[in-house]
Amino acid sequence: MQESEHLEAIFRAALARVDPYRMIVDHVRVEGGRLVVDFEGYRHEVDLAGVRRIVVLGAGKASARMALAMEHLLGERIAEGLVSVKYGHAETLSRIQVIEAGHPTPDANGVEAARRIAELARRADEQTLVLNLISGGGSALLPFPLVHGAVHLSLEDKQAVTQALLASGADIHAINCVRKHLSGVKGGRLLALMAPARSLNFILSDVVGDRLDSIASGMTTHDATTFADALAIIDAYGLRPKVSANVITALTLGAEGRIPETLKKGDPAEALATNILIGTNRMALLAACDTAKALGYCVAALTCGLTGEARDAARILFSIARDVRDHELLIKRPACVIAGGETVVTLSGTGKGGRNQEMALAFLAEMAKDEQSGRSIHFLSASTDGSDGPTDAAGAFATTELLEAARRGGLSIDAFLRDNDSYHVFEKLGGLLKTGPTMTNVCDLHMVVVT
């Protein structure tokens, strides 16, 4: 089982590299009356002499840990603040309030957090510096149902559309396009609420490609998508029967120009904001590579942009692993092949799991078809936030030992796959990886060791 231990060590090294607390305290400081950000060749300074109040706002799975770092750096300089985090992701803070809320489906706590953050944003003035702490999960954790004229979206409207989108197989860009156009703070609308205050926005990316307009639905940058785009996504995935009439009405009125669009490029509010990307999947992947090399493996980093269906990605990764084992294509053995990204699962069954567990189960299914039953191949797929889908596991392993255990127990891997029930089969086999909340979030990592 040494290879499984190595896989977990490689994954945990990646997590350490993107610890949001360290990312801030190591790269942000107060120096001679100025707030200085010095990060990977980028430097930005804010003269605090003209700042009467510093307000900290945030949303996302990593925002409480980021807020802890800001309190340690700025202390009593912080006038007030509030961050919204997933249940179980809070930190003990003294000057910044924390509200725990629902994720991935928004709940009433999230609505309350959004209402209070919007109020703090509205109160900001020319002498206020707002520090926004944004990470993956921010969309669900800051639901602010759109209200305009006769349109009054409810939490239930938002919950239904979120659940429908998550089950549809739509990627995060499509999901967030719809979310932006049903929200009073996303798609740059938070930025508009904060004007005329300046803002420094520290962003941890959980989006493939690190597009600022998609991370947590782009609360502090312009949005290139439209109401018409959001409506087209609803129709492309056949979701009209699964969402409320209120949602369709809002998107239709917006597409007709009867509801104001999200913030667009060139809006004066955008000039008041500085967006700083402090953590990405690429950074985690590179740290994983360094640790794999230290453990004695030849290493190949494939991509930090792996997308598509989880089970399709599993087939590709197994094919690469088999070629390494049988022919030493790509890299010599002992080898470690690493990829990062964010896949999707189009639900057809009623089981429990997440995209990483589904990928591991599909990988195990490929091992079962292999003439050598996956001999010498070991796999781990895990989410950097520690919670894969609606489960308490970060991901799962796929090894020959687990395959043999499934065969001895008479467990049909294909049947569990058909029911999207990866969690329960790995629970039976002892193949789940449980880290607990990691307080960070930079997509997923997929690691193959071939000995």
Side-chain angles (χ1 to χ4, degrees):
M1 296 298 289
Q2 180 186 30
E3 290 81 9
S4 293
E5 293 171 358
H6 284 178
L7 285 168
E8 183 171 348
I10 292 165
F11 177 66
R12 289 188 180 275
L15 294 181
R17 175 63 180 83
V18 290
D19 176 357
Y21 177 86
R22 294 251 55 96
M23 301 288 274
I24 289 178
V25 298
D26 289 348
H27 300 285
V28 184
R29 63 186 181 275
V30 177
E31 187 178 275
R34 304 179 74 83
L35 185 64
V36 178
V37 181
D38 199 344
F39 185 77
E40 293 198 343
Y42 172 85
R43 184 180 174 93
H44 183 80
E45 298 184 13
V46 176
D47 187 355
L48 297 177
V51 175
R52 183 175 58 86
R53 298 172 69 247
I54 294 177
V55 175
V56 178
L57 307 178
K61 298 173 187 176
S63 62
R65 188 142 178 84
M66 296 162 80
L68 180 65
M70 286 300 177
E71 285 201 344
H72 286 177
L73 284 167
L74 296 170
E76 294 184 357
R77 291 175 185 262
I78 298 172
E80 58 185 332
L82 190 150
V83 296
S84 178
V85 302
K86 183 178 178 178
Y87 292 110
H89 287 62
E91 297 277 0
T92 301
L93 304 176
S94 59
R95 304 192 68 81
I96 302 166
Q97 293 185 325
V98 179
I99 292 180
E100 294 181 281
H103 180 280
T105 302
D107 67 6
N109 275 12
V111 173
E112 175 63 12
R115 183 193 66 77
R116 290 171 59 182
I117 283 176
E119 181 57 33
L120 287 170
R122 289 190 189 98
R123 283 164 39 195
D125 59 19
E126 293 93 339
Q127 294 180 301
T128 302
L129 174 65
V130 182
L131 304 178
N132 285 301
L133 312 175
I134 298 168
S135 67
S139 287
L141 293 165
L142 216 62
F144 198 54
L146 183 68
V147 174
H148 184 83
V151 172
H152 288 75
L153 295 181
S154 67
L155 172 60
E156 291 72 24
D157 294 329
K158 299 277 295 234
Q159 289 172 329
V161 74
T162 298
Q163 290 167 344
L165 285 163
L166 290 173
S168 72
D171 68 19
I172 192 63
H173 301 294
I175 291 171
N176 283 352
C177 173
V178 176
R179 282 168 159 170
K180 292 176 199 176
H181 288 89
L182 300 175
S183 170
V185 293
K186 301 179 181 74
R189 288 182 169 134
L190 179 63
L191 198 59
L193 291 177
M194 291 187 296
R198 288 176 296 161
S199 65
L200 276 182
N201 310 307
F202 296 88
I203 301 170
L204 196 70
S205 173
D206 72 329
V207 172
V208 171
D210 303 325
R211 281 175 41 183
L212 295 178
D213 63 336
S214 280
I215 303 166
S217 296
M219 288 181 274
T220 62
T221 190
H222 67 269
D223 174 35
T225 68
T226 65
F227 277 102
D229 294 330
L231 196 58
I233 289 165
I234 294 292
D235 288 333
Y237 289 93
L239 300 183
R240 283 192 185 235
K242 299 178 181 180
V243 303
S244 71
N246 285 342
V247 166
I248 300 302
T249 297
L251 296 180
T252 302
L253 290 176
E256 293 171 352
R258 294 160 67 183
I259 296 177
E261 263 292 355
T262 48
L263 191 83
K264 300 307 176 190
K265 190 171 184 178
D267 190 287
E270 197 172 26
L272 298 167
T274 300
N275 292 311
I276 304 166
L277 195 61
I278 65 165
T280 66
N281 186 264
R282 178 185 65 85
M283 296 174 187
L285 184 146
L286 292 176
C289 289
D290 289 343
T291 300
K293 290 174 185 175
L295 288 170
Y297 294 102
C298 298
V299 177
L302 294 181
T303 182
C304 55
L306 186 65
T307 58
E309 285 286 337
R311 57 184 70 186
D312 293 338
R315 282 191 284 268
I316 293 169
L317 291 172
F318 182 79
S319 178
I320 292 169
R322 186 177 55 209
D323 285 343
V324 172
R325 180 193 66 190
D326 296 344
H327 310 294
E328 290 196 328
L329 290 181
L330 180 67
I331 193 171
K332 292 186 178 298
R333 295 160 55 191
C336 183
V337 179
I338 306 175
E342 183 168 294
T343 59
V344 298
V345 175
T346 302
L347 293 175
S348 56
T350 59
K352 179 180 179 180
R355 58 183 179 262
N356 290 285
Q357 293 160 70
E358 175 116 347
M359 189 185 295
L361 189 58
F363 197 97
L364 204 63
E366 294 302 308
M367 294 175 75
K369 299 173 191 174
D370 179 44
E371 289 183 358
Q372 300 182 50
S373 295
R375 180 184 59 81
S376 302
I377 295 173
H378 319 265
F379 179 67
L380 170 63
S381 181
S383 172
T384 56
D385 65 5
S387 55
D388 183 33
T391 77
D392 61 353
F397 295 89
T399 65
T400 53
E401 290 83 4
L402 292 171
L403 178 60
E404 286 305 311
R407 286 171 171 168
R408 288 195 305 270
L411 301 175
S412 170
I413 294 170
D414 289 338
F416 279 98
L417 259 181
R418 284 193 298 273
D419 200 29
N420 300 118
D421 200 16
S422 52
Y423 182 90
H424 288 125
V425 67
F426 281 119
E427 186 178 44
K428 293 176 186 291
L429 297 174
L432 294 171
L433 174 65
K434 294 186 179 183
T435 62
T438 64
M439 308 301 180
T440 191
N441 188 12
V442 291
C443 298
D444 306 327
L445 287 175
H446 320 292
M447 295 146 288
V448 186
V449 161
V450 185
T451 55

